[in-house]
Amino acid sequence: MSLAVVTPLVLSLAVPDPAQLNTPVLAADHCVSAITTGKVDDSAILAGGWTLDSKTGKDGSADESRVYFNAARSAGIVIDRKSPGGKPRCLVLYPASEQGQNVTEFQLAAHFNGRVFPITAETTGFEIPGHKVAIFSTRKTVKDRPVLEIMVTIFEPKGGTK
């Protein structure tokens, strides 16, 4: 079998139980849901150890900015449907070592089981099959700490998806 056939199979079997996913992958999953449905399921996010910032998100829609924190993981989710250009987006900021970033990106690929495409040395894209949504993970340094920024947004490539 070719690598193109084996890789998706291995990735689809790599993380069979969503409960085993790490914090940023679960956050990205919530982001995909918020963007594709237009609603934010606070109960699922809050059950995962996240806290809604008291100054955001009162009406349950994704039409307003919502900020969640996970103190145990020093991570944050920002769901913003009023982003520049009018396209909805969601950001997950997750401090992690290079190894932790590698694990997270592998789990993103396994969980969403779509096409993975490198953009730059720091940024990788993940297509979400069945949705006009993509995830972009970018490795950054914030205050001398490595951080993985995961952005979920509408993605409609020219020529359509394959």
Side-chain angles (χ1 to χ4, degrees):
M1 270 193 221
S2 75
L3 187 57
V5 172
V6 174
T7 300
L9 178 61
V10 170
L11 290 177
S12 68
L13 297 173
V15 187
D17 182 3
Q20 299 301 313
L21 295 175
N22 66 13
T23 300
V25 177
L26 288 173
D29 194 62
H30 293 311
C31 288
V32 169
S33 176
I35 289 173
T36 58
T37 66
K39 295 285 182 190
V40 178
D41 181 1
D42 279 338
S43 63
I45 295 174
L46 297 174
W50 298 87
T51 304
L52 178 63
D53 180 60
S54 61
K55 298 176 187 158
T56 67
K58 301 294 184 206
D59 70 2
S61 77
D63 291 333
E64 63 181 337
S65 294
R66 302 171 73 77
V67 179
Y68 300 87
F69 297 102
N70 188 315
R73 302 298 302 189
S74 300
I77 302 175
V78 178
I79 299 175
D80 185 5
R81 299 264 308 176
K82 298 176 183 174
S83 62
K87 291 186 176 184
R89 69 177 179 172
C90 180
L91 295 175
V92 178
L93 302 173
Y94 185 70
S97 65
E98 183 176 351
Q99 181 180 3
Q101 292 174 356
N102 291 340
V103 167
T104 297
E105 288 180 335
F106 179 80
Q107 285 194 349
L108 283 169
H111 181 64
F112 292 105
N113 201 21
R115 184 172 63 102
V116 177
F117 49 99
I119 297 173
T120 66
E122 296 82 24
T123 303
T124 303
F126 304 86
E127 193 172 25
I128 310 300
H131 298 287
K132 293 182 179 179
V133 175
I135 296 174
F136 300 94
S137 70
T138 303
R139 296 165 185 244
K140 296 184 171 194
T141 301
V142 177
K143 296 184 180 179
D144 297 328
R145 288 182 71 187
V147 173
L148 190 63
E149 176 188 87
I150 301 168
M151 181 177 68
V152 181
T153 190
I154 298 296
F155 180 69
E156 298 180 64
K158 292 180 184 175
T161 59
K162 296 186 182 194

